[in-house]
Amino acid sequence: MTDRTAEREETALASPPIDWIPILIPVAVALIALPLIGSFSTWVTLTVAALAMGMIIFIMASGLTLVFGLMDVINFGHGVFISVGAYMSLLVLRPLTGWVESPSLALNIGVLVLCILVAMAVSGMFGLVFERLIIRPVYRQHLKQILVTMGGLIIIEQLLHVFFGGSPITIALPQNFRGGLAIGPDMIVERYRLIAVVIGVAVFLAMMLVLNRTRIGLLVRAGVENPEMVEALGYRIRRLFVGVFAAGSALAGLGGVMWGFYQQTLTIGMGLQVLVLIFIVVIIGGLGSIGGCLIGSLLVALVANYTAFLEPKIALISNIALMLVVLMWRPQGLYPVVKV
Amino acid sequence: MPDPLLTLEGVHTHIGRYHILQGVDFEVPRGSFTVLLGRNGAGKTTTLRTIMGLWKASQGNIRFAGQDMTARPTPEIAAAGIAYIPENMSVFSGLTVRENLLLAARAGKIDATRLEWIFSLFPAMQRFFGSAAGTLSGGQKQMLAIARALIEPRDLILVDEPTKGLAPAIVANMIKAFREVKNAGATVLLVEQNFMAAKMLGDAVAVMDDGRIVHRGAMAELAADHALQHRLLGLHMDAHQ
Ligand SMILES: Nc1ncnc2c1ncn2[C@@H]1O[C@H](COP(=O)(O)OP(=O)(O)OP(=O)(O)O)[C@@H](O)[C@H]1O
Ligand SMILES: [Mg+2]
């Protein structure tokens, strides 16, 4: 028995250390920005906004990185599931205006949850169809994937156009999520941003739980490294991929709902607009890495928010610059996934 | 004589526009330990990959346990009872040793008795049970790759050059482990360049060259016939020890 305990301890000691450096980078960026910005309360506002935006981007990007890692598929269509998700919230918000305007917190939460469920269900279903009709015929052909998934994106955008019209649509946040919350003297953060952070953290934890504690998660992690060996162990990687693709599309839909409320305006092109940021995040994080995706999202959002305040002129190129710097340091991204 | 467990008949494999296997014929009798020898580039790895369905045979057929496997997808071939230990080991480095074994156990859980057996063959697996496979040494990765094939009983185990690049002590450990696997009644098809290891383990032998089988017979026969070894493998007398 004592022997066993000794073994355990040795095992624990032998566990690989976490690579902390990438985790420390966003923290360092935030600390460096503080003296540049000057005002503490402005810095808090910008940082909270960035955390909210970062978590939303993470939700939208997580599916894409797994799809890329697992099957080496470049899906430019991913952005449209964001738009689909955002527009699906209209199906809930329009009939339930009463819930949105109600002072009852329960009804407010209820309407948000309904928006999320409908958006995830519909964009997940679109994902299944998209995989079947558009992705499947072009496996292993990157150039065709780019062209064909772009085509798919345009088709679905046009469908949204037909059903919802082309002009931007304003949406209102549920009553209790509006306005700011004083968290200190002179310091107000918008409530919805805090909610976005909470939802983002919950999604991240749920994903980590699935990836690390379930058999499916184990298969996904193994498949990202070496799909061929997963097949040689007797598992159908295709089936796994279809599941991951649908889940990734549903998460993009969830991100779309949250992004829509964040901006309180829906446009059909909103998904395509954030897609550039999402690709930067996926590349910075390391293709196929969920941890890298989270750090990359936060980093991109922090840099975007700080530069927009400090030097609006360079805000547009700041994320491209960030990507170049990261890739010069780690060409495979922050957390390279070992590929065979 | 009972049907062999695995039969290849006139198997051709193309990789891209290269014609690699040019009519491979051999069989692996049930319960035997068959060694596939041949110089670099002879087509040994391609043969194993074709059996697993990782390359598709363009001609000929592959039968396993009485069923035609030729056109089946890889997961089905694996599920029919074949374990594959590839040349590059292919352990999942981001997964722990335990998780690697858990994935290989299709029952969804690891059988305690078999795990004890594996720990007795490769004590390092117990020591590093909770460590990421990526942190293991080359020899330990190879042990994990073998352990993955042993975690559940399989009808046939395909192994591609398990001793490549390993220190002599680890090779000895590996040979001992394969002896036990053999005594446990498993059927094994081993690709090996190390003739000493091959000689100690094999009952039957097949030799490949240029995408074809050029010799089939009992290992004892080849081990005793130095001239034949020289002709087939280019081995010199001093390489026998
Ligand atoms: N993916 C590939 N693309 C093109 N040619 C290949 C590929 N894989 C193998 N070959 C060629 O097929 C031939 C047989 O290769 P194979 O790997 O089966 O040989 P081997 O007997 O396993 O050699 P070794 O002892 O070096 O492992 C070689 O000439 C090799 O160059
Ligand atoms: Mg080989």
Side-chain angles (χ1 to χ4, degrees), chain B residues 15-16 18 20-21 38-47 55 87 160-161 164 191 193 208:
Chain B
I15 304 179
Y18 300 102
I20 310 287
L21 298 190
R39 44 182 194 82
N40 291 106
K44 306 178 297 293
T45 298
T46 308
T47 302
W55 299 128
E87 204 167 14
D160 201 346
E161 295 200 49
K164 195 163 84 180
V191 166
Q193 299 256 25
M208 278 194 98

Side-chain angles (χ1 to χ4, degrees), chain A residues 185-235:
Chain A
D186 237 12
M187 252 185 285
I188 293 173
V189 297
E190 286 183 34
R191 286 181 193 181
Y192 178 68
R193 293 182 180 170
L194 294 178
I195 293 171
V197 171
V198 169
I199 295 178
V201 170
V203 169
F204 175 71
L205 292 179
M207 278 180 95
M208 289 320 259
L209 209 66
V210 170
L211 284 174
N212 291 311
R213 294 275 179 272
T214 69
R215 197 166 183 78
I216 300 263
L218 219 54
L219 280 167
V220 171
R221 282 161 59 211
V224 167
E225 264 191 49
N226 187 347
E228 194 171 76
M229 193 60 215
V230 170
E231 295 229 291
L233 288 176
Y235 301 97

